[in-house]
């Protein structure tokens, strides 16, 4: 059974953004000095904490390997050694080198920036280890494409707010399409919204929600249950 989208409308999404911004302040994601570094970080952060991925990025940067040509040409063992802090280092090293080779093959940032969002997303999804959420993060943070990241934090929050019914297959793609189809804001808006939802999900609306003092509580059915 697929989850049912309920009340996804621009006003509620913008109000959510503004409310969380007032509570948590600007988050200024994604850490990265270049578009390729964002892609590398999106691979490294899988199944680990950002702090571990950041350590691996620092090691790659120290060796001058956050350049696609140099990373693609680097021996696998060298890359594996440098990214050990991120875990799953053999798998991630292979994916990083493949992504670097792909980046070069596509003609680099200048050429990819001219592609439509749909075409670029399809090509990203063709890379090993790049699923819809990772692809959308890369598109948003590396290529400034205005996309909603319908990750687990967003789905949990939206379900508690009563905007979607929880559970079911295909939830990520359906929720992302619903928001992208109705909320016409720029990449900066979606960048901040994603970061704010993650921050709120970690600090307030976690598995066991801390509803006392939550700025969303007055409009949250789940919050009422914890009164």
């Amino acid at each position: 059974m697929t989850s049912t989208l309920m009340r996804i409308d621009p006003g509620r999404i913008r109000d959510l953004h503004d409310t969380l911004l007032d509570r948590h302040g600007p988050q200024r994601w994604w850490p990265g000095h270049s578009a390729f570094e964002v892609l590398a970080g999106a691979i490294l952060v899988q199944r680990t904490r950002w702090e571990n991925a950041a350590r691996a990025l620092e090691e790659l940067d120290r060796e001058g390997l956050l350049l696609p040509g140099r990373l693609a040409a680097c021996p696998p063992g060298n890359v594996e050694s440098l990214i050990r802090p991120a875990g799953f280092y053999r798998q991630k090293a292979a994916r990083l080198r493949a992504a670097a080779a792909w980046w070069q093959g596509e003609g680099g940032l200048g050429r990819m920036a001219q592609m439509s969002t749909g075409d670029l997303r399809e090509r990203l999804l063709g890379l090993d280890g790049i699923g819809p959420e990772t692809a959308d993060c890369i598109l948003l943070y590396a290529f400034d494409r205005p996309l909603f990241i319908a990750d687990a934090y967003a789905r949990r929050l939206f379900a508690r707010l009563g905007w979607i019914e929880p559970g079911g297959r295909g939830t990520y793609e359906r929720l992302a399409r619903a928001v992208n189809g109705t909320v016409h804001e720029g990449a900066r808006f979606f960048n901040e919204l994603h970061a704010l939802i993650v921050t709120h999900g970690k600090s307030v609306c976690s598995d066991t929600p801390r509803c006392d003092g939550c700025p969303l509580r007055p409009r949250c059915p789940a919050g009422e249950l914890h009164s």
Side-chain angles (χ1 to χ4, degrees):
M1 175 180 176
T2 57
S3 64
T4 302
L5 297 173
M6 297 173 68
R7 294 184 294 274
I8 303 298
D9 71 72
R12 285 191 173 94
I13 300 297
R14 294 187 186 105
D15 182 64
L16 174 65
H17 170 280
D18 294 346
T19 301
L20 294 182
L21 185 63
D22 287 342
R23 171 61 180 269
H24 300 290
Q27 302 299 298
R28 298 184 177 90
W29 281 14
W30 179 296
H33 297 99
S34 69
F36 181 74
E37 183 176 341
V38 171
L39 182 148
I43 293 172
L44 288 168
V45 79
Q46 294 175 351
R47 293 184 289 176
T48 192
R49 297 172 59 190
W50 173 252
E51 292 81 2
N52 298 329
R55 287 173 57 200
L57 284 172
E58 288 172 3
E59 291 299 310
L60 291 172
D61 189 35
R62 182 172 57 82
E63 297 297 322
L65 294 177
L66 287 178
L67 299 172
R70 295 195 62 177
L71 182 56
C74 186
N78 292 9
V79 179
E80 292 171 7
S81 177
L82 292 168
I83 68 169
R84 277 179 179 268
F88 303 94
Y89 56 90
R90 291 192 179 90
Q91 182 184 67
K92 290 181 179 180
R95 289 176 176 176
L96 282 172
R97 294 177 71 253
W102 168 82
W103 188 280
Q104 286 189 295
E106 292 291 350
L109 179 62
R111 184 172 177 183
M112 286 187 286
Q114 298 176 22
M115 297 180 187
S116 70
T117 298
D119 285 346
L120 187 51
R121 188 177 196 263
E122 184 177 351
R123 296 182 190 216
L124 284 167
L125 290 172
L127 293 173
D128 182 37
I130 303 294
E133 182 179 327
T134 301
D136 288 346
C137 284
I138 294 167
L139 288 165
L140 174 60
Y141 291 105
F143 293 95
D144 292 324
R145 305 301 172 93
L147 293 173
F148 178 70
I149 309 300
D151 61 11
Y153 293 104
R155 298 195 300 273
R156 181 171 65 198
L157 178 60
F158 281 29
R160 285 175 176 169
L161 288 169
W163 296 353
I164 63 172
E165 292 180 1
R169 299 179 180 179
T171 305
Y172 181 92
E173 295 280 18
R174 295 184 71 238
L175 179 55
R177 283 198 300 269
V179 176
N180 291 330
T182 58
V183 181
H184 305 297
E185 298 284 351
R188 180 176 295 182
F189 175 91
F190 284 108
N191 180 319
E192 196 67 73
L193 179 62
H194 175 223
L196 288 166
I197 288 174
V198 172
T199 298
H200 194 70
K202 289 182 176 180
S203 62
V204 180
C205 198
S206 55
D207 287 335
T208 302
R210 303 173 180 89
C211 296
D212 289 341
C214 175
L216 301 175
R217 187 169 185 173
R219 74 202 77 168
C220 181
E224 290 299 315
L225 294 176
H226 290 82
S227 298

